[in-house]
Amino acid sequence: MRGHRLRRTGLACASAALLCLGAACSDSSGAAPNHIAALADNVAEVTVDPGLPLIGYVNGLFATVTVCVPGTSDCQSIDHVLVDTGSSGLRLLGSELTIALPAWTDDSSGLPLAECTQFVDSYIWGSLRSADIKIAGEQASNLAVQVVDESTYPVPNDCTGKSADTAKDLGANGIVGVGTLVQDCGAACAASLSSGNPGLYYTCASASTGGCQAAAVPTAKQVSNPVAFFTQDNNGTIIELPAVPAAGAPSVTGSLVFGIGTRDNNVLAGAKVIRLDEYGTFLTQYPTPNGRYAMSFVDSGSNGIYFLDSSTTRIPACRGQLSSFYCPASEMNLSAKGQDVNGVVTVKVNFSIANPGILLTNSTISALDNLGGPSISPSSGDIGMYFDWGLPFYFGRNVFTAITGQSTPGGIGPFVAF
Amino acid sequence: MQRIPFGPTRFRKLLPPLAFFALLFCTRPASAALGGDVASIAADQALLAASVSIVRAERYTMHELAAATGTKVREYLDSEGKVFAVTWQGPFRPNLRQLLGSYYETFLKAADSRMSRGPLNISLPGLVIHMSGHQRAFYGRAYAADRVPQGLSTDEIH
């Protein structure tokens, strides 16, 4: 998850956008439409829609997640939880939670744990609770959930960036991180505070300022990708979304499938496996073969395809309210290649970039597959050496995400396949 | 969102000589990096538990702080010893309040009005910021545009 939602102004336009109805759609390359799995024990419905009232989210992928007091039937289902392959772990707005989940405590001190979760320019703060997490027919028992809330414990001074702790700032009722990582932090947060611990986890002795102090927390107690803790289908996910017409769509429905090669409905089949490094990155060639961007990543929580800058791509950026995006005169059909971390497998990726001005004139559009924007000049050393393949990459493709260390018929994670 | 600043501001104004000693003995110094001086780097080093290497170029001096967390922070100083740019790269974001110093509140205001969920790009007359990445792989660059030494391409800040 990165940054904030797209805000829109202006009046809704009366013209209806073309609906893309599943198999009737095809992507710009003319390839056969992707198959969307029917709902099943291991398949949850996901939607791309405007999100919570007054949010107007563009390219936000949402699911409904159920949490229960561990071992009981005291449960609550929460809709519009953002599905994010760029992070790991379930985080829910405290303001939405009506059941009393028990505190998740530090083993040595017995104190409640809290976390400052880092995103690109923002943070999520809140205490940890214990819950059984259910999505479709799958369950992870007694796992840590972050309850997003700045009122129970004050935000520590070291928790920096912009707050994403409200429905307005988050644009969703929560985030479910189903990325390649098992834990959100890993070994670093288990290390002693004086030797490389980034200090993201806290024990909270009181609700007064300074009542929460950074603490080392073993990986087993960290906020984790719930999929890795399902009793079955726990080696990864597939996000299956239909293609979207060039003019966008008011909403799109697809499937979040659990497991890779564990059932008939989640086989890799012809998908090509792009192995990732431990940070979830791979190499993008654009233009092929000489433009090489080794820190690229796939992230369903990014709402566009973000890459390079206008002087490199020769695609002008929009002005004014849409200045985060590219604004070509007409839709551009582009092609890149993804290359796995071993330099062995390359996969062609067709994508399109168009002027997103329709977002200002038609407020019913929430899915736009040709939304993209500049990141930074690739001349700026390592910092600019990436493509951020956001949600538009997922439209019309079945994208597999294999969890680190889990074995699949395509090898051990982490990898993406499509 | 209003945040509590580092330390009591009035002490910084009234007692500048003490600031030096504060930097020596505290891990929560009064001054911060971007726009600060070389002493502020010592403070960042303490906060990050970092080792430092120094690169001298024609138009700047670059201090690279390699934190034990695996994150690298670079701070670029002009000939007067003022930090005009900072960058970071690694599994964890550095403390932005510390690193952006007096520019932190400007950053928060500008980030609040962003239009995208993706990389952050802020371009103001005196401040250019880029932040990107995802969990356990973060990148960032911030520079005070009006303090970049003449003749230095901003591509060299990385």
Side-chain angles (χ1 to χ4, degrees):
Chain A
M1 193 280 286
R2 344 247 322 236
H4 310 283
R5 71 188 180 280
L6 176 81
R7 294 190 185 90
R8 297 188 286 200
T9 60
L11 297 170
C13 175
S15 69
L18 288 171
L19 276 167
C20 178
L21 297 171
C25 302
S26 64
D27 70 20
S28 56
S29 68
N34 55 321
H35 174 77
I36 313 286
L39 297 186
D41 271 2
N42 69 323
V43 182
E45 182 178 278
V46 286
T47 56
V48 178
D49 64 28
L52 305 178
L54 304 177
I55 293 293
Y57 213 121
V58 173
N59 289 346
L61 180 66
F62 301 107
T64 294
V65 177
T66 300
V67 286
C68 306
V69 175
T72 76
S73 56
D74 187 7
C75 300
Q76 184 185 358
S77 291
I78 296 184
D79 67 341
H80 283 101
V81 176
L82 188 79
V83 177
D84 182 24
T85 57
S87 70
S88 286
L90 177 63
R91 305 164 209 285
L92 297 170
L93 288 183
S95 57
E96 290 299 311
L97 207 60
T98 55
I99 59 171
L101 296 174
W104 184 258
T105 55
D106 177 47
D107 287 336
S108 51
S109 66
L111 291 170
L113 288 165
E115 187 182 13
C116 172
T117 313
Q118 295 183 331
F119 294 96
V120 166
D121 62 340
S122 61
Y123 69 83
I124 283 179
W125 168 254
S127 61
L128 307 190
R129 307 284 175 83
S130 169
D132 291 347
I133 300 170
K134 299 178 180 178
I135 315 176
E138 307 281 8
Q139 176 170 333
S141 298
N142 197 24
L143 210 59
V145 172
Q146 185 177 22
V147 176
V148 184
D149 164 30
E150 297 192 355
S151 61
T152 305
Y153 300 110
V155 183
N157 216 32
D158 289 342
C159 188
T160 62
K162 188 185 135 38
S163 167
D165 286 344
T166 63
K168 177 179 163 289
D169 288 324
L170 194 57
N173 287 327
I175 298 183
V176 58
V178 291
T180 56
L181 298 168
V182 178
Q183 302 92 12
D184 58 0
C185 184
C189 285
S192 101
L193 292 178
S194 58
S195 64
N197 189 313
L200 305 184
Y201 282 89
Y202 292 78
T203 49
C204 295
S206 84
S208 56
T209 301
C212 296
Q213 293 291 322
V217 172
T219 52
K221 298 285 290 196
Q222 295 179 13
V223 175
S224 298
N225 185 338
V227 178
F229 292 87
F230 287 165
T231 49
Q232 54 186 356
D233 307 312
N234 51 20
N235 55 0
T237 57
I238 319 168
I239 291 174
E240 302 180 346
L241 295 173
V244 172
S251 69
V252 161
T253 300
S255 291
L256 171 60
V257 182
F258 300 111
I260 297 174
T262 59
R263 304 187 188 214
D264 290 347
N265 66 3
N266 59 18
V267 293
L268 269 167
K272 285 202 174 164
V273 172
I274 301 285
R275 294 192 191 289
L276 309 172
D277 69 9
E278 62 179 301
Y279 304 111
T281 55
F282 64 99
L283 186 139
T284 296
Q285 295 179 7
Y286 177 86
T288 58
N290 294 327
R292 298 173 76 82
Y293 304 105
M295 319 296 269
S296 299
F297 53 95
V298 173
D299 175 16
S300 66
S302 292
N303 69 351
I305 295 171
Y306 294 95
F307 60 108
L308 311 177
D309 65 346
S310 285
S311 62
T312 310
T313 60
R314 303 190 180 277
I315 309 172
C318 305
R319 293 175 182 276
Q321 201 184 351
L322 295 172
S323 63
S324 303
F325 303 109
Y326 280 131
C327 259
S330 58
E331 186 176 48
M332 300 176 72
N333 296 314
L334 306 171
S335 185
K337 277 184 181 170
Q339 181 178 314
D340 80 325
V341 72
N342 302 319
V344 177
V345 178
T346 58
V347 186
K348 189 175 176 186
V349 180
N350 292 323
F351 65 108
S352 301
I353 301 294
N355 183 322
I358 191 167
L359 297 177
L360 298 180
T361 58
N362 185 343
S363 67
T364 68
I365 299 292
S366 79
L368 195 57
D369 90 330
N370 46 31
L371 186 64
S375 57
I376 186 172
S377 163
S379 307
S380 311
D382 287 347
I383 290 170
M385 301 302 277
Y386 70 92
F387 270 54
D388 172 356
W389 294 101
L391 199 68
F393 171 80
Y394 288 79
F395 292 128
R397 281 189 185 89
N398 291 359
V399 182
F400 295 71
T401 302
I403 297 170
T404 303
Q406 308 282 68
S407 83
T408 80
I412 294 174
F415 65 76
V416 292
F418 50 91
Chain B
M1 181 142 304
Q2 189 62 46
R3 310 239 50 91
I4 304 159
F6 271 126
T9 305
R10 62 184 183 282
F11 281 11
R12 292 211 297 270
K13 287 177 180 162
L14 294 176
L15 303 170
L18 284 183
F20 175 69
F21 295 101
L23 289 170
L24 284 180
F25 298 117
C26 298
T27 56
R28 293 291 183 279
S31 66
L34 188 60
D37 55 23
V38 71
S40 72
I41 294 179
D44 290 337
Q45 183 188 358
L47 196 64
L48 290 163
S51 61
V52 179
S53 56
I54 297 175
V55 173
R56 291 181 207 287
E58 190 185 343
R59 293 183 171 85
Y60 61 86
T61 302
M62 187 269 284
H63 293 230
E64 181 175 297
L65 288 69
T69 60
T71 295
K72 260 190 313 197
V73 171
R74 291 175 169 176
E75 310 200 16
Y76 291 77
L77 289 90
D78 63 17
S79 57
E80 293 169 9
K82 293 282 187 203
V83 180
F84 64 88
V86 294
T87 68
W88 61 92
Q89 180 185 340
F92 304 102
R93 254 207 286 114
N95 182 322
L96 295 178
R97 185 184 284 109
Q98 167 78 12
L99 201 59
L100 299 180
S102 58
Y103 294 90
Y104 182 67
E105 294 295 330
T106 311
F107 148 70
L108 287 183
K109 281 200 192 83
D112 200 35
S113 63
R114 70 181 294 196
M115 295 287 298
S116 61
R117 280 183 179 269
L120 171 74
N121 278 307
I122 292 171
S123 191
L124 298 170
L127 180 65
V128 176
I129 296 180
H130 174 77
M131 297 186 192
S132 70
H134 55 97
Q135 210 164 58
R136 282 205 241 169
F138 292 105
Y139 311 94
R141 178 176 80 162
Y143 59 87
D146 49 2
R147 292 176 185 239
V148 175
Q150 239 180 357
L152 179 68
S153 161
T154 55
D155 282 348
E156 289 189 48
I157 304 168
H158 57 72

